[in-house]
């Protein structure tokens, strides 16, 4: 037993220092996750924020560690310098939000002079260099701490491992902070942690570091010749391979499991957990054969992860999670089971390689710096070159092979090189993305892949269901659009309402293209100039090639701009009579910025005089609190904004300027607009429902809800919605109940829309029909079936032109065959009664087509078939018939 008091003090100091460095690691990774979150909001694309942050972080760590190695040999007080750097990082973290807001304003000014690619490159370059500054300070802390603990019996693997374990905790910390505090206060909380570390380190420095001469410091820690370049380059390549895996896994698991920013946090936590334990384990792996075995194991497990992805995705699809926290925990465990073996090996390598080169501390710093710089290069390579060019699976395979080849470089075993060929062969079956039916067998197991496009922005799938209908999937789980006849109407309605509300639209801008079906709703307008902005090149290709039959070839009469909506609105110099904000998933990072006050103001600046901006919301994607936030934000920019509700879609409508007559939306504009057209075009422009049905969907002026608002730099809803998704708050019945409680009375609505006395009866019927229909749906959702069934016929009686009311009633009649039989109706009579309610009811048309064919009534069958084919041109029955003809 060592009773030397100096040794005891030294040991105590070592424990304190590694504890501090653990907390420092937690703060560092907390910063990284929060910065990635911030940049995802700024870029509007999660993976861009991830790549920019990780690149800056790793490059800063690499340069900083090499710089810190020099400082550690020249400073009298390495711990004091470490403390100053920690305090500086905390100060920088607090200043960065304000700095980035100022930079964003400058980027906005430059947007008009740069294209999308140049704009993104400029932003990524600038923010990378800005974030490198605090990251450089973090990197310099590693050799300084090593210098401070050299006489405390703390090993290289120990200090490296402890910092990595702290980083694992820090990566997970924002997952709790963000939903509870929001982004800005979470950053301040992490910065406070950094201040505590810096303060304690500063106090320890004054207590424990004596003022020694520089010459004495140099004598204690003489300059060590750096390792040969070949070893530094080899370990830099391992860093590149590791980060290729990290970025690839973030994209892949973000697609099949969690949202990207959660996946980044969990993958970083698993990476650092493995590195932490691995570096501590290295002291027991001293035999040479480990240098041969570890690269083979790392590469094998990385390739195996691709084999496990379909099983993992199917498990996530089939599992019910009770809360966001349980979802994160269970999915984190699943990710860990796949990736932890690889990250353990990555942790083992640094102390193992440093020991082989001799002088663990000094060579450890050189290797750490080279590895970090290589990791930065691997991040850029994966995010902006490999994933867009060869896809995510092959990027992961290339990362795995890089680990294998460069890992074996450190080994003296020539026979082991045969594993490069073996594992290359094993990787071939998983070098392409698994199909949607393989990944989501429960939802799409009977479908087939038609199209896959992957770029740096997103992964786009188009699948075909057995009935021939197609679906566009963005990042796999988020269905953007469908060719189903009902979905076609929903999408076209998103163009119909906004265009109806302008007296004479000549130019329309679509913020989002999707399948192009929404834009097809504008085709009845003669001479209308159409522009669509779409960031996903996969969606543009799909709309052009795979949805032509259902979007009426609208792409041939529309100008398509591949751009980010934020950048386009900042850079475009044109003005539009109508701007339409498409539906999107608001809980995704970056997407929520499209519902911010800044984005609404950008749209406002691009409106022509008397222009109309309409932003659509899918009510099933919100809870009441989040919906109020978005409405309040829209009202802040458009004080006279009004709402329309089309079934379960809400349209927020704002005009360029305040009108003397309230919102400036009037029935006179709608009627004037339709009177310019032919009868046929006017009917198509309203979807056959007539102008009063649409005016009957009016929901009044957006009231002052005294709610929070959505700001790009202080976002709210993307922290609120994920939890609401799991705790049951995304309840459409609550949304309907609240909306019904704020709907204005008939007389007030008629006054606000300036309905004339002559037109009042028609408006009254449509308005009452909408009210009754929504009350019927609310009753059915709440289990009050009798009340719901009683209200629906009353709604149809009030307005038989309303498609949603008619279809709900027709579906009810068709479903109740027992009642039809009791009334003496046969199958044909039942189907004909359904068509009397809704002549475009596809199921009834299909049934009558087959009945007529079976009875030999070929002309009648042809008539029914023609009507059905016009409504559902992609139906599989027609495709089979066409093949038989040809």
């Amino acid at each position: 037993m060592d009773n030397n008091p100096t040794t005891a003090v030294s040991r105590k100091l070592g424990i304190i220092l590694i504890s501090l460095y653990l907390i420092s690691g937690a703060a560092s990774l907390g910063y990284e996750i929060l910065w990635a979150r911030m940049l995802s909001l700024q870029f509007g694309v999660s993976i861009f924020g991830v790549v920019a942050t990780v690149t800056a972080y790793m490059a800063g760590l690499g340069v900083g560690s090499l710089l810190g190695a020099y400082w550690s040999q020249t400073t009298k007080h390495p711990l004091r310098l470490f403390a100053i750097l920690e305090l500086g990082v905390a100060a920088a973290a607090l200043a960065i939000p304000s700095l980035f807001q100022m930079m964003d304003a400058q980027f906005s000014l430059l947007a008009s002079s740069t294209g999308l690619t140049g704009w993104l490159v400029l932003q990524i370059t600038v923010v990378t260099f800005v974030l490198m500054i605090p990251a450089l300070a973090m990197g310099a802390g590693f050799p300084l701490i090593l210098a401070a603990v050299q006489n405390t019996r703390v090993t290289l693997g120990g200090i490296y491992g402890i910092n990595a374990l702290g980083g694992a905790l820090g990566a997970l910390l924002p997952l709790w902070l963000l939903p509870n505090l929001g982004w800005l206060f979470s950053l301040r909380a992490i910065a406070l942690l950094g201040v505590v570390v810096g303060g304690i380190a500063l106090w320890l420095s004054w207590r424990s570091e004596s003022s020694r001469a520089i010459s004495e410091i140099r004598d204690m820690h003489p300059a060590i010749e750096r390792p040969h370049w070949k070893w530094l380059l080899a370990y830099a390549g391992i860093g590149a391979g590791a980060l290729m895996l990290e970025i690839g896994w973030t994209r892949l698991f973000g697609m099949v499991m969690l949202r990207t920013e959660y996946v980044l946090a969990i993958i970083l936590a698993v990476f650092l957990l493995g590195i932490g334990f691995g570096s501590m384990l290295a002291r027991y792996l001293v035999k040479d054969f480990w240098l041969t075995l570890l690269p083979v194991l790392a590469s094998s497990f990385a390739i195996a992860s691709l084999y496990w992805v379909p099983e993992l995705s199917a498990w996530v699809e089939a599992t019910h999670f009770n809360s966001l926290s349980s979802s994160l925990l269970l999915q984190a465990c699943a990710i860990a089971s796949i990736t932890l073996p690889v990250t353990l090996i990555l942790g083992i390598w640094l102390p193992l390689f440093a020991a082989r080169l001799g002088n663990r501390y000094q060579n450890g710093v050189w290797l750490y710096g080279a590895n970090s710089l290589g990791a930065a290069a691997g991040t850029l390579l994966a995010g902006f070159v490999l994933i867009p060019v060869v896809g995510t699976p092959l990027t992961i395979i290339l990362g795995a092979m890089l680990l294998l080849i460069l890992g074996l470089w450190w080994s003296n075993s020539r026979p082991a090189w045969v594993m490069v060929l073996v594992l290359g062969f094993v990787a071939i079956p998983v070098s392409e993305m698994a199909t949607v039916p393989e990944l989501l067998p429960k939802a799409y197991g009977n479908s087939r892949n038609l199209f896959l496009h992957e770029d740096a922005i997103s992964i786009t799938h188009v699948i075909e269901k057995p009935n021939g209908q197609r679906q566009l999937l963005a990042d796999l789980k988020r269905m953007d659009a469908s060719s189903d006849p009902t979905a076609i109407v929903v999408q076209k309605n998103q163009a119909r309402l906004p265009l109806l509300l302008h007296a004479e639209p000549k130019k329309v801008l679509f913020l989002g293209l999707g399948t192009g079906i929404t834009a097809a709703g504008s085709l009845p307008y003669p001479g209308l100039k159409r522009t669509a902005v779409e960031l996903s090149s996969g969606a543009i290709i799909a709309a052009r090639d795979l949805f032509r039959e259902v979007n009426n070839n609208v792409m041939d009469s529309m100008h398509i701009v591949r751009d980010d909506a934020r950048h386009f609105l900042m850079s475009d110099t044109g003005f539009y009579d109508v701007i339409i904000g498409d539906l999107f998933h608001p809980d995704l990072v970056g997407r929520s910025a499209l519902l911010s006050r800044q984005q609404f103001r950008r749209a406002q600046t691009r409106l022509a005089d008397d222009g109309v901006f309409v932003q659509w919301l899918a009510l099933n994607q919100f809870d009441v609190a989040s919906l109020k936030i978005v409405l309040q934000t829209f009202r802040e920019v458009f004080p006279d904004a009004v709402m329309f509700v089309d079934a379960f879609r809400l349209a927020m409508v704002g005009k360029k300027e305040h009108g003397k007559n309230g919102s400036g939306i009037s029935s006179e504009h709608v009627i004037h607009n339709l009177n310019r057209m032919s009868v046929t075009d006017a009917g198509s422009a309203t979807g056959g429902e007539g102008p009063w049905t649409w005016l009957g969907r009016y929901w009044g002026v957006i009231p002052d809800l005294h709610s929070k608002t959505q700001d790009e730099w202080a976002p709210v809803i993307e922290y609120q919605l994920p939890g609401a998704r799991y705790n049951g708050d995304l309840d459409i019945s609550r949304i309907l109940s609240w909306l019904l409680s704020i709907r204005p009375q008939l007389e007030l609505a008629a006054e606000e829309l300036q309905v004339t006395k002559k037109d009042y009866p028609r408006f009254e019927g449509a308005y009452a029909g909408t009210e009754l229909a929504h009350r019927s749906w609310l009753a059915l959702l709440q289990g009050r079936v009798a009340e719901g069934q009683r209200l629906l016929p009353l709604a149809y009686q009030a307005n038989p032109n309303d498609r949603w009311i008619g279809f709900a009633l027709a579906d009810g009649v068709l479903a109740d065959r027992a009642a039809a039989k009791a009334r003496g109706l046969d199958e044909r009579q039942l189907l004909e009664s359904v068509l009397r309610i809704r002549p475009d009811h596809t199921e009834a048309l299909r049934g009558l087509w087959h009945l007529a064919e079976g009875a030999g009534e070929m002309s009648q069958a042809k008539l029914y078939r023609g009507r059905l084919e016009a409504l559902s041109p992609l139906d599989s029955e027609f495709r089979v018939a066409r093949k038989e003809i040809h």
Side-chain angles (χ1 to χ4, degrees):
M1 182 175 179
D2 190 353
N3 294 318
N4 188 328
T6 303
T7 302
V9 171
S10 175
R11 185 176 298 149
K12 182 178 179 181
L13 178 62
I15 293 172
I16 295 173
L17 288 178
I18 63 173
S19 299
L20 272 185
Y21 204 42
L22 183 143
I23 300 172
S24 173
S28 298
L29 267 293
Y31 292 137
E32 182 176 1
I33 296 297
L34 293 173
W35 288 338
R37 184 82 179 209
M38 174 184 67
L39 296 186
S40 295
L41 293 168
Q42 182 168 346
F43 294 138
V45 181
S46 291
I47 198 66
F48 284 1
V50 170
V51 171
T53 306
V54 175
T55 299
Y57 190 82
M58 300 311 299
L61 290 182
V63 174
S65 66
L66 298 178
L67 186 60
Y70 172 75
W71 289 343
S72 68
Q73 294 180 349
T74 58
T75 181
K76 299 178 183 180
H77 307 288
L79 185 56
R80 190 169 304 174
L81 183 53
F82 169 79
I84 293 170
L85 291 175
E86 285 287 317
L87 293 172
V89 171
L94 293 173
I96 277 176
S98 298
L99 176 62
F100 271 64
Q101 287 186 59
M102 291 187 290
M103 288 167 53
D104 191 53
Q106 296 303 312
F107 288 143
S108 300
L109 295 175
L110 292 171
S112 59
S113 60
T114 58
L116 174 63
T117 301
W119 188 62
L120 289 173
V121 169
L122 175 64
Q123 288 188 95
I124 290 170
T125 302
V126 172
V127 300
T128 298
F129 278 110
V130 170
L131 292 182
M132 269 188 68
I133 297 171
L136 187 148
M138 296 176 197
F142 180 59
L144 291 171
I145 279 289
L146 284 177
V149 302
Q150 279 199 17
N151 296 320
T152 63
R153 296 187 178 181
V154 177
T155 65
L156 170 66
I159 197 70
Y160 182 56
I162 284 293
N163 184 249
L165 292 176
L169 295 174
L172 296 175
L173 187 58
L175 300 186
W176 178 83
L177 289 174
L178 285 169
N180 292 286
L181 300 180
W183 180 79
L184 189 58
F185 283 98
S186 296
L187 187 64
R188 290 172 180 170
I190 298 293
L192 179 61
L193 199 61
V195 169
V196 170
V197 170
I200 294 176
L202 200 60
W203 177 76
L204 283 174
S205 170
W206 282 325
R207 289 288 304 270
S208 64
E209 288 184 332
S210 60
S211 299
R212 294 167 293 182
I214 295 295
S215 59
E216 184 182 350
I217 298 294
R218 287 174 175 167
D219 289 338
M220 291 179 61
H221 310 297
I224 303 296
E225 184 180 353
R226 63 166 172 75
H228 193 278
W229 279 113
K230 68 177 182 179
W231 302 117
L232 293 179
L233 289 174
Y235 199 49
I238 287 175
L243 267 292
M244 286 163 63
L245 293 180
E246 181 180 313
I247 297 301
W249 280 337
T250 300
R251 164 64 74 90
L252 197 61
F253 294 134
M255 179 185 71
V256 303
M257 298 177 70
L258 304 161
R259 294 152 20 113
T260 302
E261 71 282 2
Y262 290 155
V263 170
L264 174 65
I266 290 171
I267 286 181
L268 279 174
V270 172
F271 251 76
L272 293 165
L273 194 68
I275 287 172
F277 283 120
S279 63
M280 295 177 181
L281 185 64
R283 65 196 303 179
Y284 304 107
L285 307 177
V286 295
K287 294 185 178 180
D288 288 344
F289 79 86
W290 286 109
L291 289 174
T292 302
L293 182 60
L294 291 176
V296 175
L297 291 175
S299 182
S300 298
F301 276 105
I303 292 170
S305 71
L306 295 172
Y307 280 94
W308 293 332
V309 163
E311 299 299 323
L312 186 65
S313 179
W315 167 74
V316 173
E317 182 191 28
T319 304
H320 173 72
F321 301 103
N322 296 319
S323 65
L324 177 61
S325 58
S326 68
S327 169
L328 290 172
L329 177 61
L330 291 174
Q331 295 187 49
C333 291
I335 291 176
S337 69
I338 294 174
T339 61
L340 191 58
V342 180
T343 63
L344 277 169
I345 294 167
L346 293 175
I348 292 170
W349 270 339
L350 177 63
L352 205 62
F353 293 163
R356 179 174 179 183
L357 295 177
N359 197 310
R360 294 169 183 257
Y361 281 109
Q362 295 298 328
N363 284 323
V365 170
W366 278 103
L367 290 172
Y368 177 84
N371 186 261
S372 297
L373 291 173
T379 301
L380 290 174
L381 182 65
F384 296 130
V385 179
L386 292 178
I387 285 177
V389 174
V390 301
T392 299
L394 195 51
T395 298
I396 291 173
I397 290 170
L398 291 174
M401 298 307 290
L402 195 58
L403 293 184
L404 175 62
I405 293 168
L406 294 177
L408 290 176
W409 183 264
W410 294 77
S411 167
N412 295 321
S413 174
R414 292 185 178 181
W417 284 89
V418 73
M419 293 303 300
V420 175
L421 294 176
V422 172
L423 291 179
F425 180 78
V426 169
I428 292 174
V430 288
S431 59
E432 294 184 356
M433 185 80 67
T435 66
V436 173
E438 290 175 306
L439 294 169
L440 299 174
K442 185 177 178 181
Y444 302 113
N446 57 356
S447 303
R448 70 184 183 98
N449 264 36
L450 284 184
F451 174 74
L452 167 65
H453 180 88
E454 183 176 7
D455 54 33
I457 294 167
S458 64
I459 302 171
T460 303
H461 285 93
V462 176
I463 60 169
E464 184 176 83
K465 299 168 70 176
N467 62 3
Q469 301 305 332
R470 295 170 181 173
Q471 290 185 349
L472 176 69
L473 304 177
D475 291 333
L476 189 63
K477 290 188 175 180
R478 301 162 184 109
M479 189 187 79
D480 275 6
S482 167
S483 67
D484 181 86
T486 299
I488 289 174
V489 174
V490 170
Q491 291 167 80
K492 287 186 175 181
N493 282 358
Q494 290 173 202
R496 285 168 176 154
L497 174 67
L499 290 167
L500 281 171
L501 297 178
H502 193 282
E504 201 168 329
K506 295 181 174 62
K507 292 179 66 178
V508 59
L509 172 64
F510 297 93
L511 298 178
L513 175 66
T515 58
I517 296 173
T518 292
S522 69
L523 288 173
Y525 288 82
L528 185 67
K529 293 183 178 179
R530 303 170 187 84
T531 302
V533 180
E534 176 59 56
L535 185 57
S536 169
S537 56
I540 295 172
I541 295 168
R544 184 192 64 211
D545 297 339
L546 297 169
F547 289 94
R548 290 181 69 87
E549 293 164 291
V550 288
N551 66 28
N552 307 111
N553 298 328
V554 71
M555 305 284 282
D556 296 339
S557 57
M558 181 165 54
H559 177 51
I560 309 295
V561 181
R562 184 173 181 264
D563 202 348
D564 172 71
R566 296 170 67 248
H567 175 258
F568 180 84
L569 292 174
M570 288 188 286
S571 61
D572 188 42
T573 56
F575 294 93
Y576 302 89
D577 300 307
V578 177
I579 299 178
I580 302 171
D582 201 1
L583 291 172
F584 53 86
H585 297 267
D587 61 330
L588 299 181
V589 174
R591 304 289 181 88
S592 63
L594 298 177
L595 297 178
S596 67
R597 61 165 63 90
Q598 289 91 341
Q599 180 68 358
F600 294 153
R601 285 185 183 130
R602 293 183 194 111
Q604 186 183 49
T605 62
R606 299 268 58 85
L607 287 173
D609 293 340
D610 207 35
V612 176
F613 172 52
V614 175
Q615 177 62 59
W616 286 95
L617 306 174
L619 295 177
N620 64 316
Q621 295 175 349
F622 291 87
D623 61 347
V624 174
S626 298
L627 181 61
K628 287 181 178 180
I629 289 169
V630 176
L631 291 171
Q632 185 73 20
T633 305
F634 195 83
R635 185 182 186 274
E636 183 177 299
V637 179
F638 298 96
D640 300 317
V642 300
M643 296 176 288
F644 284 78
V645 177
D646 180 34
F648 299 126
R649 303 287 186 270
L650 183 145
M652 302 184 295
V653 182
K655 296 205 72 174
K656 172 73 172 181
E657 299 171 351
H658 299 306
K660 294 180 179 179
N661 299 313
S663 67
I665 303 296
S666 71
S667 60
E668 180 185 355
H669 286 163
V670 175
I671 301 303
H672 172 78
N673 195 356
L674 293 174
N675 285 342
R676 300 182 303 118
M677 307 182 197
S678 68
V679 174
T680 301
D681 285 343
S684 297
T686 65
E689 295 183 286
W692 296 107
T693 295
W694 281 102
L695 290 167
R697 291 167 178 157
Y698 178 69
W699 222 268
V701 175
I702 298 177
D704 186 354
L705 300 168
H706 304 288
S707 172
K708 296 178 182 177
T709 56
Q710 177 77 358
D711 188 279
E712 285 182 349
W713 295 98
V716 180
I717 60 175
E718 64 264 37
Y719 306 134
Q720 193 164 293
L721 286 176
R725 186 176 300 280
Y726 289 99
N727 63 22
D729 285 343
L730 296 190
D731 184 347
I732 191 68
S733 66
R734 296 183 192 177
I735 295 282
L736 285 181
S737 181
W738 178 73
L739 285 173
L740 285 166
S741 72
I742 65 169
R743 198 182 193 212
Q745 295 295 316
L746 172 65
E747 293 78 9
L748 178 59
E751 179 183 341
E752 290 174 352
L753 290 176
Q754 302 171 46
V755 178
T756 64
K757 187 175 182 180
K758 172 176 67 71
D759 292 325
Y760 188 86
R762 285 180 285 184
F763 176 70
E764 181 182 21
Y767 198 78
T770 299
E771 179 89 9
L772 290 166
H774 280 83
R775 293 196 178 279
S776 169
W777 297 328
L778 177 59
L780 292 171
L781 287 168
Q782 293 178 339
R784 294 178 279 116
V785 178
E787 181 183 347
Q789 292 176 340
R790 177 180 61 82
L791 291 173
L792 197 57
L794 296 176
Y796 182 76
Q797 184 178 352
N799 183 21
N801 293 325
D802 189 301
R803 184 186 195 279
W804 308 122
I805 297 172
F807 260 86
L809 188 63
D811 287 342
V813 170
L814 191 60
D816 196 358
R817 282 181 162 82
K821 188 175 181 180
R823 296 197 309 270
L825 298 178
D826 60 23
E827 183 70 10
R828 173 172 286 194
Q829 290 171 322
L830 172 64
L831 295 175
E832 288 173 344
S833 69
V834 169
L835 285 190
R836 283 193 290 274
I837 299 173
R838 283 304 310 180
D840 53 351
H841 196 286
T842 55
E843 189 175 345
L845 286 169
R846 189 186 307 278
L848 288 168
W849 166 29
H850 292 309
L851 285 173
E853 265 190 346
E857 301 169 1
M858 303 313 294
S859 60
Q860 190 67 29
K862 184 178 180 181
L863 177 64
Y864 286 132
R865 174 188 161 146
R867 289 168 61 183
L868 179 60
E869 189 168 7
L871 292 168
S872 184
L874 294 177
D875 194 289
S876 58
E877 287 193 79
F878 303 131
R879 187 171 300 123
V880 171
R882 292 186 196 115
K883 287 181 180 178
E884 290 175 352
I885 291 173
H886 293 291

